[in-house]
Amino acid sequence: MTKGIKIATIGGGSSYTPELVEGFIKRYDEFPLSELWLVDIEEGKEKLEIVGNFAKRMIEKAGLPIDVHLTLDRREALKDADFVTTQFRVGGLSARAKDERIPVKYGVLGQETNGPGGLFKGLRTIPVILEITKEMEELCPDAWLINFTNPAGMVTEAVLRYSNIDRVVGLCNVPIGMEMGIAKLLDVDHSRIHIDFAGLNHMVYGLDVYLDGVSVKGEVLQKLADPENSSFVKNIDGIGWEPEFTQALDALTCPYHMYYYKSKEMLDKTIESSKAEGTRAEVVQALEKDLFELYKDENLNIKPPQLEERGGAYYSDAAVRLITSIYNDKRDIQPVNTMNRGAIASIPDESAVEISCVITKGGPVPLAVGDLPVAARGLVQQIKSFERISAEAAVTGDYNKAVLALTINPLTPSDTIAKQVIDEMMEAHKEHLPQFFQEKVTVNK
Ligand code: G6P
């Protein structure tokens, strides 16, 4: 008998897991999964049990022969896996709350994946993902690593640069969220919309957008002036774009661009909302509490609609559609994070980019775009440099590199402020940043 398909999901106790399970159920005909291993750490044990038992009920309801295993032993889960999906959060939501709150004291944006928050999430996450890739080399050398852990672009960059794994794909829900949002704006089915994506994670542009193969970019750009239409994710409130700006840029922006092209408004908004309702991490903590209460209900066996209040909606669709296409060598087009290999001229060939790719059994093949619009190039290069230097700091524990990374980030007003923010955040996250408090290592870049 041939071995069935095995998936290991690291951070399996996440409240997002039912999304993923729903995705596997929906696509079972094309992707006959036989073992789903949900892995977590000791601190996440209770959540793992709750969400894992709920996953078992969802699968039972669907009547599918998928075995769900819950474990705290990552090695056992990785052994002979075909796909490894990663969705963990080092330090949990309380670490995210610090990333969001501390920078604001210094007048700098506090956000999960941008500016100082993105840097520190990367510093905590990258050493862990590199441990996982080492274990994969030993226990499942042919497996694909599908990473959703943020900052997904920086994490993919680090895996490409510092691990021996080349079967890695970074995944984000922003592109699929943009497609869904535009389909809604135009009141058409999602399947009729196609966007040519190119850029970086949380900094991706839609170079063109088509309805049934015909460009509707002009019409869509006009609609982005309406605040209601300018964000496609639940975690960011839109502020309408100036039509002169979007028309001249001649490309669709993603919701995260608001932090860069509307820095002042977004900083003010973040300060206001964190005073009124707490940081996004705190809002999400409350949402999670309710979600886990729901998941505990023995009678619940389908994904509850409340999960859609999280910014990561459609993750399952994006993830399972990607895994299914790799498995079946589908050669369809999907936006993912992968090695550039010349697809965007102004980004190094070996760096991670987020771009529309043909998905084959050999992995994503990026569709070359030539280059980004001249107005977008500089910012994208600056963020790529920030990601590279941040990844290097994460691996080496070099404090000066962390200061350098934050100083060159466009959201930071000065090197002195960068250093002050870093000092407070290093102390606050000390237990998850051992590399900065031990003897240093040297790496080849
Ligand atoms: C998005 C991003 C994800 C992020 C999520 C946060 O849309 O693409 O990378 O994890 O929002 O959502 P949350 O509900 O946790 O604020």
Side-chain angles (χ1 to χ4, degrees):
M1 205 176 88
T2 53
K3 166 188 162 291
I5 308 168
K6 174 174 178 181
I7 296 213
T9 297
I10 302 184
S14 157
S15 58
Y16 280 121
T17 294
E19 279 259 344
L20 200 62
V21 172
E22 184 190 62
F24 289 128
I25 292 173
K26 279 195 193 153
R27 281 190 161 78
Y28 184 80
D29 286 350
E30 290 178 283
F31 184 71
L33 174 63
S34 49
E35 290 175 56
L36 175 63
W37 287 70
L38 302 177
V39 195
D40 222 300
I41 53 170
E42 188 61 44
E43 292 92 305
K45 192 173 169 187
E46 196 194 337
K47 281 165 83 178
L48 177 69
E49 300 253 310
I50 298 171
V51 86
N53 288 329
F54 175 37
K56 288 180 184 171
R57 294 196 299 277
M58 288 174 75
I59 285 168
E60 197 187 327
K61 158 103 179 26
L64 295 173
I66 305 173
D67 287 330
V68 178
H69 300 261
L70 312 182
T71 181
L72 302 184
D73 182 348
R74 191 165 75 196
R75 292 181 62 88
E76 184 192 16
L78 289 177
K79 179 94 185 93
D80 299 327
D82 298 289
F83 291 89
V84 177
T85 67
T86 39
Q87 54 178 36
F88 58 90
R89 190 188 287 283
V90 179
L93 283 167
S94 58
R96 173 174 172 185
K98 292 177 191 168
D99 287 343
E100 292 172 340
R101 202 171 278 288
I102 296 171
V104 169
K105 292 203 237 166
Y106 301 86
V108 182
L109 180 80
Q111 211 281 326
E112 183 190 16
T113 59
N114 289 266
L119 167 66
F120 274 81
K121 191 161 188 346
L123 298 180
R124 298 192 297 274
T125 306
I126 289 168
V128 179
I129 197 95
L130 294 177
E131 260 173 44
I132 295 171
T133 57
K134 279 219 181 79
E135 290 175 3
M136 285 178 65
E137 274 180 65
E138 181 196 334
L139 299 165
C140 51
D142 297 327
W144 282 93
L145 171 60
I146 312 288
N147 174 63
F148 324 135
T149 301
N150 271 324
M154 197 192 285
V155 169
T156 311
E157 181 79 27
V159 173
L160 290 174
R161 250 170 224 284
Y162 299 109
S163 84
N164 296 322
I165 298 267
D166 51 15
R167 291 185 154 206
V168 55
V169 190
L171 196 66
C172 181
N173 66 326
V174 161
I176 191 171
M178 287 168 72
E179 284 170 1
M180 296 286 205
I182 287 165
K184 209 164 144 204
L185 278 188
L186 301 178
D187 196 20
V188 299
D189 189 77
H190 168 220
S191 59
R192 296 173 60 193
I193 298 292
H194 172 82
I195 302 179
D196 291 336
F197 288 103
L200 305 180
N201 179 237
H202 287 184
M203 177 143 295
V204 74
Y205 295 83
L207 301 184
D208 211 334
V209 49
Y210 308 88
L211 169 62
D212 298 332
V214 178
S215 174
V216 285
K217 184 166 66 171
E219 188 188 337
V220 171
L221 287 178
Q222 272 174 13
K223 291 189 189 277
L224 299 185
D226 182 343
E228 287 290 308
N229 301 339
S230 56
S231 170
F232 303 105
V233 287
K234 279 274 163 51
N235 55 316
I236 305 177
D237 280 341
I239 308 178
W241 291 112
E242 299 298 342
E244 293 80 357
F245 163 66
T246 45
Q247 303 285 324
L249 179 66
D250 198 30
L252 291 181
T253 46
C254 81
Y256 285 85
H257 278 119
M258 279 187 283
Y259 292 117
Y260 297 88
Y261 297 140
K262 284 186 183 293
S263 318
K264 178 174 182 330
E265 291 86 341
M266 291 305 278
L267 176 60
D268 292 349
K269 236 176 181 291
T270 311
I271 296 172
E272 253 170 57
S273 62
S274 78
K275 276 191 194 137
E277 51 186 11
T279 61
R280 176 72 188 163
E282 286 150 2
V283 171
V284 163
Q285 265 164 340
L287 262 171
E288 279 219 332
K289 215 166 155 253
D290 295 347
L291 278 173
F292 276 95
E293 278 311 310
L294 286 171
Y295 294 170
K296 277 184 196 163
D297 178 355
E298 296 279 328
N299 298 315
L300 185 76
N301 52 17
I302 51 166
K303 187 187 89 179
Q306 287 87 335
L307 187 49
E308 274 151 34
E309 289 311 306
R310 294 294 306 273
Y314 313 124
Y315 255 118
S316 67
D317 266 353
V320 186
R321 136 181 123 162
L322 169 65
I323 292 173
T324 306
S325 291
I326 295 177
Y327 178 74
N328 292 304
D329 194 24
K330 261 198 172 171
R331 297 164 191 248
D332 54 348
I333 297 175
Q334 299 181 29
V336 296
N337 288 267
T338 190
M339 194 189 275
N340 183 29
R341 287 174 275 169
I344 303 177
S346 48
I347 298 292
D349 288 355
E350 74 286 3
S351 268
V353 289
E354 188 163 284
I355 191 162
S356 298
C357 294
V358 177
I359 310 295
T360 74
K361 69 170 184 236
V365 181
L367 292 168
V369 297
D371 215 335
L372 297 168
V374 66
R377 262 176 235 171
L379 177 60
V380 170
Q381 286 183 327
Q382 204 175 347
I383 294 297
K384 179 46 70 186
S385 300
F386 163 72
E387 287 180 353
R388 277 180 67 172
I389 299 168
S390 302
E392 192 186 339
V395 173
T396 56
D398 182 336
Y399 170 85
N400 294 359
K401 286 277 159 66
V403 173
L404 177 65
L406 193 56
T407 304
I408 64 159
N409 187 290
L411 301 175
T412 313
S414 87
D415 57 344
T416 304
I417 293 178
K419 201 162 145 341
Q420 290 166 347
V421 172
I422 285 189
D423 286 345
E424 186 169 344
M425 290 180 81
M426 280 282 174
E427 207 42 50
H429 290 299
K430 201 170 179 175
E431 65 174 309
H432 301 297
L433 297 173
Q435 72 275 43
F436 288 92
F437 297 91
Q438 297 165 348
E439 225 178 290
K440 301 293 170 267
V441 292
T442 324
V443 294
N444 296 320
K445 284 173 259 170

